[in-house]
Amino acid sequence: MKLKSKILITLNSIKRNYYNWRYWNNVYKNMMKYTQSLASKDKSYMLLYKNKPGIALSFDDSFRINDWYKYGNKIFGYYDVKVTFNINAIHHFKGKREHTQKEIDMLLELQSMGHEIGHHGFKHKKATDYSNDFGLDSWIEDEIVTLIDWMDQQSHSKTLEKFKKPVSFAFPHFLFDSKHVSELVPKYFKIVRGHLYKENLISFNHSGFTPSICLDGYYSYNLHYIKKIMRLVKKSGKNLIFTCHSILPKEFDWDVYGWGKEAKKSGTWRITPQMIQTIINEAREIGLEFYTTSEIAGIATFIDHNFEKCIRELISNPSLKWIPLSELSPIVELDLSNQGISNLDGIQYCVNLEKLHLGGNNITDFRLLKKLPKLKKINFGNDLKEKISNINY
């Protein structure tokens, strides 16, 4: 390689590193500016579910489902590091086709591991551009309502489980304005995610627009500043959303997918499994929790509609669009006998539950009962006693 080329490569590397440092330094300094008055002893805004500030990892664009499924499952575990996967109904590059049944199954299996499936627009259209061309009402109908309806029509090919009704929305390309936010909240969603804004931190039970910090694409990540920002989150007592896209090893060749030149730029929007693991390790070391976006919004969700119906009968206002997490905390005894329940997702929010009756249901997975620290007595009924060998008390 000629000396001139080597010098040019070195200069470009120095330039990239400088811009990376300058961007993340500005993000951190801006957060410091707005958060100096946040470190209060008053923790009344804390979530009754965990009472710990935390991180929400938010992944966009479900044409990346193979990456999410292959690498995410290994890192996140079962109801451990819970994240939000924001989906569309179409593949961005394979002829704009809708998701195959195999892809839908993978998305629903991620949901069954404790993750949130958020709304990211039916065809991933830019909110402001589409609204300028066709009107805001058309964007709502074509991108929002259509995907909600599409999600409601899908089910897993084997378990028959369905998508939960989405609580959160992520604006494609981070493009939006106040009109779009007011049209979406609270009619369609409890919380809608964009990009940087002021301190970038979110209180529990938040409603409306929420900012995030992107870790990939041309924003890239800077581990030094990410760690400093996470410590700032801990100090503030609030929460932060990190936005990402694909989960892929650094050495993975994007061209292997064969999606053509059109997809080349999308291949730069990726974060490595190693970096995600580093963030997880850092969060645990300093005492941060991991939440889904809907949990930060203070909402409890359920896979099983029969289970949700039982919970609604116990809360102060059963007709609420979404069930507040705060309504589940006071529950100390729960009788779910003979209710046709097959999935206990959502019971992890009943953190003060002491007695539970489960007989007469078709439940085969009891692992979530381990998430209930105060549970003392369980009545499985004769029909379930043979199915609980994986539970130890």
Side-chain angles (χ1 to χ4, degrees), residues 261-384:
K261 294 181 180 180
E262 183 187 7
K264 195 79 174 178
K265 186 177 180 181
S266 294
T268 65
W269 295 85
R270 59 200 280 183
I271 190 169
T272 65
Q274 293 80 7
M275 184 60 188
I276 294 175
Q277 190 62 59
T278 299
I279 291 173
I280 292 170
N281 294 343
E282 178 69 14
R284 285 175 167 160
E285 182 178 331
I286 64 177
L288 290 175
E289 187 59 57
F290 284 95
Y291 299 110
T292 63
T293 307
S294 60
E295 287 175 343
I296 289 177
I299 301 303
T301 57
F302 304 82
I303 289 175
D304 192 298
H305 292 297
N306 290 329
F307 186 16
E308 179 176 346
K309 181 180 177 182
C310 292
I311 294 296
R312 284 190 175 278
E313 291 175 355
L314 298 176
I315 66 176
S316 57
N317 185 356
S319 63
L320 285 173
K321 186 178 182 68
W322 296 290
I323 298 176
L325 284 168
S326 57
E327 292 272 8
L328 276 64
S329 182
I331 298 174
V332 294
E333 183 171 1
L334 194 54
D335 189 351
L336 302 176
S337 303
N338 304 305
Q339 296 298 319
I341 295 169
S342 60
N343 194 305
L344 288 173
D345 170 66
I347 202 168
Q348 70 273 15
Y349 301 127
C350 301
V351 292
N352 291 309
L353 189 65
E354 298 178 3
K355 296 180 181 179
L356 177 62
H357 305 273
L358 290 175
N361 292 295
N362 189 32
I363 302 166
T364 57
D365 192 335
F366 299 90
R367 286 176 291 173
L368 283 177
L369 299 185
K370 294 180 180 180
K371 302 287 185 181
L372 304 175
K374 297 184 179 181
L375 188 59
K376 300 174 183 177
K377 183 177 180 180
I378 310 171
N379 179 8
F380 288 101
N382 293 330
D383 56 321
L384 291 179

Side-chain angles (χ1 to χ4, degrees), residues 162-215:
K162 300 178 70 65
F163 288 113
K164 301 176 184 180
K165 188 172 183 178
V167 175
S168 68
F169 174 76
F171 282 104
H173 305 277
F174 303 124
L175 295 176
F176 68 98
D177 57 28
S178 59
K179 289 183 180 179
H180 288 83
V181 174
S182 61
E183 282 292 321
L184 294 179
V185 180
K187 184 175 182 179
Y188 297 101
F189 308 103
K190 177 73 160 49
I191 187 170
V192 294
R193 195 214 71 203
H195 198 214
L196 303 176
Y197 183 71
K198 292 187 177 180
E199 76 271 19
N200 298 311
L201 300 176
I202 319 120
S203 297
F204 285 116
N205 305 314
H206 182 79
S207 182
F209 169 77
T210 184
S212 70
I213 299 178
C214 189
L215 299 182

Side-chain angles (χ1 to χ4, degrees), residues 93-252:
F93 305 109
K94 286 189 171 183
K96 311 296 183 184
R97 62 160 176 80
E98 290 190 10
H99 280 306
T100 64
Q101 184 62 54
K102 181 180 178 180
E103 291 167 342
I104 292 166
D105 283 355
M106 287 191 285
L107 289 168
L108 286 164
E109 286 167 26
L110 288 174
Q111 178 180 265
S112 72
M113 297 294 285
H115 305 304
E116 175 186 10
I117 304 299
H119 193 302
H120 197 40
F122 186 80
K123 291 186 177 180
H124 197 255
K125 298 295 184 181
K126 299 175 182 177
T128 48
D129 290 0
Y130 197 89
S131 297
N132 287 337
D133 291 341
F134 305 103
L136 179 55
D137 289 343
S138 293
W139 179 76
I140 291 290
E141 182 62 34
D142 297 343
E143 285 293 289
I144 303 304
V145 176
T146 305
L147 182 56
I148 291 173
D149 291 343
W150 181 88
M151 291 175 71
D152 187 56
Q153 294 167 10
Q154 311 308 318
S155 60
H156 193 280
S157 61
K158 294 181 180 179
T159 67
L160 303 182
E161 285 182 357
K162 300 178 70 65
F163 288 113
K164 301 176 184 180
K165 188 172 183 178
V167 175
S168 68
F169 174 76
F171 282 104
H173 305 277
F174 303 124
L175 295 176
F176 68 98
D177 57 28
S178 59
K179 289 183 180 179
H180 288 83
V181 174
S182 61
E183 282 292 321
L184 294 179
V185 180
K187 184 175 182 179
Y188 297 101
F189 308 103
K190 177 73 160 49
I191 187 170
V192 294
R193 195 214 71 203
H195 198 214
L196 303 176
Y197 183 71
K198 292 187 177 180
E199 76 271 19
N200 298 311
L201 300 176
I202 319 120
S203 297
F204 285 116
N205 305 314
H206 182 79
S207 182
F209 169 77
T210 184
S212 70
I213 299 178
C214 189
L215 299 182
D216 54 14
Y218 43 76
Y219 300 104
S220 191
Y221 55 76
N222 184 302
L223 185 57
H224 170 73
Y225 279 106
I226 288 174
K227 288 184 175 182
K228 293 182 73 171
I229 288 169
M230 290 171 70
R231 282 175 166 77
L232 193 60
V233 173
K234 174 67 174 179
K235 183 179 179 181
S236 74
K238 293 192 174 184
N239 306 284
L240 175 69
I241 298 176
F242 282 135
T243 294
C244 315
H245 294 78
S246 283
I247 306 171
L248 287 170
K250 186 176 181 179
E251 65 275 10
F252 184 85

